[in-house]
Amino acid sequence: MAMSDLASSFDASPATPKLPPMHAPDKATAAKVGKQFEAQFVSQMFQHMFEGIKTNGVFGGGNGEEMFRSLLIDEYGKMVANRGGTSGNGSGFGIGAAVQKMLLKHQEVQ
């Protein structure tokens, strides 16, 4: 095959690449992700706080409490994140609202 035949088999015109269609930013999804981030952050903070707390030997402690304490702390984090803060935006510390704002800004929507 000659070089000219090879060149003619390709489209020599500069084509713009086909990009996937842009999705409209979803404020509800950004709010959900913000709350999830805040819940995870608060859970990590509570995890460190609960490390120093000793359990009551009569009614607490043991393997069961060790196993389920992390689940309880995760639920505490979710409760705080879903609780309405003083700003009235439905976010306990306001971290979720800040994350939501940054996500929407990153998507060039305000």
Side-chain angles (χ1 to χ4, degrees):
M1 182 184 271
M3 189 62 115
S4 61
D5 293 334
L6 184 61
S8 64
S9 66
F10 293 108
D11 185 29
S13 63
T16 57
K18 299 281 183 181
L19 297 175
M22 294 291 290
H23 296 287
D26 188 6
K27 291 183 181 182
T29 303
K32 180 180 173 185
V33 170
K35 281 193 186 277
Q36 288 174 343
F37 181 85
E38 181 170 1
Q40 185 64 35
F41 178 83
V42 173
S43 293
Q44 289 294 317
M45 186 178 64
F46 284 168
Q47 185 71 34
H48 293 293
M49 183 181 78
F50 276 92
E51 283 177 359
I53 296 177
K54 302 291 183 212
T55 59
N56 185 349
V58 176
F59 295 108
N63 293 334
E65 185 170 340
E66 288 178 21
M67 244 172 54
F68 289 105
R69 181 174 270 189
S70 65
L71 297 174
L72 178 64
I73 291 172
D74 287 343
E75 288 302 313
Y76 286 160
K78 290 176 189 174
M79 288 172 49
V80 169
N82 290 324
R83 181 171 179 239
T86 56
S87 61
N89 61 5
S91 181
F93 290 150
I95 298 169
V99 169
Q100 177 186 0
K101 184 178 175 183
M102 291 304 295
L103 286 172
L104 292 174
K105 186 177 180 181
H106 183 69
Q107 295 175 9
E108 298 178 340
V109 173
Q110 294 184 12

